[in-house]
Amino acid sequence: MSYNVIESRAGLDELFMALAKAYRHIAKKHAIELELIVIGGASILLNYDFRAATYDVDAIMLNSDVLKNAIKQVADEFHLEPTWLNTDFERTSSFSVKLIEHAQFYKSYLGLIEVRRIKDEYLIAMKLKALRDYKYDLSDVVGILYECQQRNVGMNRAKVERAVMDLYGSLTKITQEAWENLDM
């Protein structure tokens, strides 16, 4: 079976709305408001215009059976990978529990799923920490910096360094190669 990619901010909004509907249907009167903190490529789709698509949504979220069933239902409905929404990111080197503190409100869907996102210097810090050759990390950093400049968002190395300290506790957690690639 061929699976779809998630192609836009509007596409993500549609998926999150479908997830809220599926969650409401499955949980019925026991539904409580859940929070998803969207990380990585999906967060880039929500924040910026330079990324055209993502293959999955990495998130920090409650891991419940009801939510898993809702995720599976949306995957089936939209022909997505069963892991289209996952917490795999939590096992990577760029994960930090402190991301929760820096997540910003994006939208609420049906009053049941609140989506928060990571922005600007915190995304840059995460991408520098990961800096994978086989992924879009460096091009994502360039895109974020470019859009911050276009939007007159004051982005500088000092902000990125503060974000690295906030998330990882030391500037040395970022490789010298990564710092050299940060052209500011």
Side-chain angles (χ1 to χ4, degrees):
M1 174 181 242
S2 174
Y3 291 104
N4 293 326
V5 297
I6 302 163
E7 294 186 327
S8 65
R9 184 176 304 126
L12 275 174
D13 282 334
E14 183 180 9
L15 291 173
F16 291 142
M17 181 58 79
L19 181 65
K21 288 177 181 177
Y23 172 67
R24 179 179 63 192
H25 177 75
I26 294 167
K28 301 196 183 325
K29 64 182 178 183
H30 301 292
I32 59 168
E33 185 175 18
L34 301 177
E35 181 180 79
L36 302 179
I37 300 174
V38 177
I39 311 291
S43 199
I44 288 173
L45 271 181
L46 294 178
N47 293 320
Y48 311 102
D49 295 325
F50 67 88
R51 176 73 84 82
T54 188
Y55 293 98
D56 67 350
V57 177
D58 295 306
I60 300 170
M61 62 186 167
L62 175 69
N63 206 354
S64 75
D65 288 338
V66 173
L67 185 58
K68 284 180 190 175
N69 290 335
I71 291 167
K72 183 182 180 329
Q73 186 174 322
V74 172
D76 292 344
E77 179 181 345
F78 288 87
H79 307 287
L80 296 169
E81 288 281 351
T83 57
W84 73 271
L85 178 61
N86 65 76
T87 59
D88 294 349
F89 167 78
E90 294 179 4
R91 293 186 299 274
T92 68
S93 67
S94 56
F95 173 73
S96 169
V97 70
K98 297 205 177 222
L99 286 164
I100 296 166
E101 299 169 23
H102 301 287
Q104 297 178 358
F105 177 80
Y106 173 65
K107 284 185 182 176
S108 179
Y109 299 86
L110 302 177
L112 289 174
I113 295 184
E114 180 179 298
V115 175
R116 300 172 63 75
R117 60 191 168 174
I118 305 300
K119 291 185 73 176
D120 301 340
E121 65 267 28
Y122 291 94
L123 270 174
I124 292 171
M126 291 170 50
K127 292 294 184 172
L128 290 175
K129 177 77 168 104
L131 200 62
R132 300 159 293 187
D133 291 334
Y134 60 94
K135 288 281 191 173
Y136 302 107
D137 295 325
L138 194 53
S139 63
D140 286 344
V141 169
V142 171
I144 295 166
L145 291 172
Y146 176 78
E147 287 205 24
C148 284
Q149 180 183 19
Q150 295 303 304
R151 296 175 182 177
N152 291 319
V153 173
M155 185 56 56
N156 57 47
R157 186 172 173 132
K159 271 187 162 179
V160 174
E161 287 177 351
R162 277 193 302 278
V164 167
M165 291 297 294
D166 287 348
L167 296 179
Y168 306 114
S170 171
L171 297 178
T172 61
K173 299 290 184 173
I174 306 298
T175 66
Q176 188 60 36
E177 175 191 5
W179 285 120
E180 289 168 4
N181 280 301
L182 183 65
D183 186 22
M184 299 183 87

